[in-house]
Amino acid sequence: MRADTGVESTALSLLDALAQIPDPRAARGVRHGVIAVLLVSACAVLAGARSFVAIAEYVHDTGRTVLDLLGAGPVAPHESTIRRLLQQLDPTAVEDALHRWATTQLATRPTDPGIPARERRPVWALDGKSLRGARHGEQRSTHLVSVIDQTSGVVLTQVAVDSKSGELAAVPELLAGLDLRGVLVTADALHTQRSHARYLHERGGHYLMTVKANQPTLLARLRALPWKMIGPAARQRARGHGRVETRTISVLSLQRCPDRGGEFFPHAAQAIRLIRRRRPLRPGARWKTVTVYAITSLTAFQADPILLARWIRGHWNIENRLHWVRDVSFDEDRSQTRTAAGPQVMAALRNLAITALRLTGTTNIAAVLRHHARDAHRPLTTYKII
């Protein structure tokens, strides 16, 4: 999918990143270049645009000064021009360009020297999402698999697959252009596959995967481990969102496991049991207990129980900080964009907007979209165009 795996020493500008995307149109009659259309589209999405029509309205209202800064030319691009071009673009080239931009932006951020080395390990969450509005008649909805950085919420890359069942086969393609050396990849039970564990190990990465009924033998072996003898390694208590919650984690080194029975799981080092107990704050509410099992290739020296509990919980950042934002703030599931590359390219532009805002430390995406919509120069500042 991507040939390069390196990271530039300086941050790549968005303009230079988009310049790598080829123009699919015949040269004759082209009035607006790919870069200009993508820049105005990216700024429009950052101002809250949710469709091709909304992007065209942003272009119409934004003013000549901003359009000149974006290289849009003397005549603003029409909605049909924007729509046809975004539908014709190579989505892989778009994802590659945005991946390079996001990676270099993330790599040039200063690190806090006060954080212990093992806590500075890159931790990436992997998960898929279907674009429900792209379904039409016999046409299936577009299904996208994404990787985000747990700490920052930056979207690193994304790939389209035929359906949810195709997620498993898409993982090597999704991760092919990323440098996985020393990286921990977290995934839900769907991706708890031996082939994925081996692939990550071969690339120098690590995994932290939850285990459920889709791996019945592995789940049974995890349940059979002597958890009562081990006891809890750490316990956390939290209160908020109308409930109180306790999380108790137990961890067992598989090198000491009395029941190896051959290979437990490829390159597995520790087994994890996490017990969550939740109770709504309303009077008379009862506790609900959920037990989660997981497995990781990290040793006890590389990750203690507190870190493992943090990373298991942090995996759901991809739901809360990406999928939920695209659904609620950008109304993605009701988007009627269905033709050719349109759904994936629009999703990539939403990822770009979310990444740019996360890099600024934004937590309330909806409020900041409204903030950008009130001044046409603000998206240009956030993208460092001016």
Side-chain angles (χ1 to χ4, degrees):
M1 179 180 175
R2 304 178 181 92
D4 83 290
T5 58
V7 175
E8 289 86 345
S9 58
T10 58
L12 184 71
S13 72
L14 183 59
L15 181 65
D16 290 339
L18 297 180
Q20 302 168 13
I21 301 173
D23 193 335
R25 303 167 295 180
R28 184 176 181 180
V30 171
R31 178 177 293 180
H32 302 285
V34 170
I35 298 177
V37 174
L38 280 171
L39 282 176
V40 297
S41 300
C43 290
V45 171
L46 188 52
R50 301 175 176 180
S51 64
F52 299 137
V53 172
I55 293 173
E57 291 172 347
Y58 170 87
V59 172
H60 181 270
D61 295 340
T62 195
R64 185 73 263 159
T65 302
V66 172
L67 292 178
D68 288 341
L69 291 170
L70 296 174
V75 179
H78 191 267
E79 184 273 338
S80 60
T81 300
I82 297 168
R83 172 172 39 84
R84 286 197 299 264
L85 177 56
L86 296 187
Q87 289 174 346
Q88 293 174 24
L89 288 175
D90 178 1
T92 301
V94 175
E95 299 287 2
D96 283 353
L98 299 185
H99 153 70
R100 287 173 60 85
W101 178 81
T103 302
T104 59
Q105 296 294 321
L106 196 59
T108 55
R109 299 181 79 191
T111 57
D112 185 352
I115 300 177
R118 65 179 180 178
E119 295 187 29
R120 293 200 297 266
R121 178 187 298 277
V123 183
W124 299 344
L126 181 155
D127 198 16
K129 179 185 184 300
S130 292
L131 308 184
R132 298 176 184 176
R135 181 183 302 170
H136 181 65
E138 298 297 322
Q139 177 181 319
R140 292 181 176 179
S141 60
T142 302
H143 191 77
L144 303 173
V145 189
S146 308
V147 174
I148 74 165
D149 177 68
Q150 271 201 22
T151 303
S152 64
V154 165
V155 186
L156 297 172
T157 189
Q158 176 178 263
V159 67
V161 298
D162 292 335
S163 63
K164 188 172 180 63
S165 60
E167 250 188 66
L168 298 180
V171 168
E173 179 185 0
L174 177 70
L175 300 176
L178 301 177
D179 185 356
L180 298 178
R181 290 171 296 180
V183 173
L184 175 66
V185 176
T186 64
D188 61 17
L190 175 67
H191 295 280
T192 306
Q193 305 290 332
R194 293 175 179 270
S195 58
H196 291 177
R198 294 190 182 102
Y199 175 82
L200 290 169
H201 179 77
E202 291 168 1
R203 295 283 310 281
H206 292 276
Y207 62 81
L208 175 55
M209 302 172 176
T210 56
V211 181
K212 293 185 178 179
N214 64 318
Q215 292 283 352
T217 302
L218 178 59
L219 180 59
R221 294 188 69 186
L222 288 173
R223 285 173 171 168
L225 292 175
W227 296 110
K228 290 184 178 179
M229 294 175 56
I230 299 166
R235 182 177 285 109
Q236 298 173 328
R237 183 180 175 89
R239 183 187 179 100
H241 303 286
R243 65 174 182 254
V244 61
E245 178 182 63
T246 61
R247 301 167 65 89
T248 305
I249 188 169
S250 302
V251 181
L252 174 63
S253 173
L254 293 176
Q255 281 73 27
R256 301 177 182 177
C257 177
D259 178 26
R260 292 301 298 273
E263 183 182 57
F264 200 98
F265 196 74
H267 311 291
Q270 296 188 89
I272 304 157
R273 185 179 74 168
L274 182 66
I275 300 177
R276 294 196 300 257
R277 299 187 72 234
R278 294 178 179 175
R279 181 178 63 82
L281 293 176
R282 65 178 180 271
R286 295 184 178 182
W287 287 95
K288 179 179 180 181
T289 302
V290 176
T291 301
V292 176
Y293 293 92
I295 198 162
T296 182
S297 59
L298 293 173
T299 65
F301 176 77
Q302 294 170 315
D304 60 29
I306 296 293
L307 275 179
L308 293 173
R310 180 193 305 174
W311 292 334
I312 290 173
R313 190 172 191 178
H315 173 73
W316 300 110
N317 281 342
I318 197 166
E319 291 288 346
N320 299 331
R321 304 182 72 186
L322 178 62
H323 297 165
W324 188 88
V325 171
R326 279 173 27 189
D327 282 344
V328 176
S329 297
F330 291 99
D331 205 18
E332 183 173 78
D333 274 352
R334 291 200 299 173
S335 172
Q336 298 298 299
T337 303
R338 297 167 177 160
T339 305
Q344 184 175 354
V345 171
M346 285 297 293
L349 292 176
R350 296 179 192 114
N351 287 344
L352 172 63
I354 292 169
T355 293
L357 295 177
R358 295 298 185 201
L359 287 168
T360 65
T362 296
T363 55
N364 189 330
I365 297 290
V368 177
L369 292 180
R370 296 192 297 269
H371 173 79
H372 283 76
R374 293 195 294 270
D375 187 334
H377 289 83
R378 288 172 180 167
L380 280 70
T381 302
T382 299
Y383 284 136
K384 301 178 182 178
I385 298 171
I386 58 174

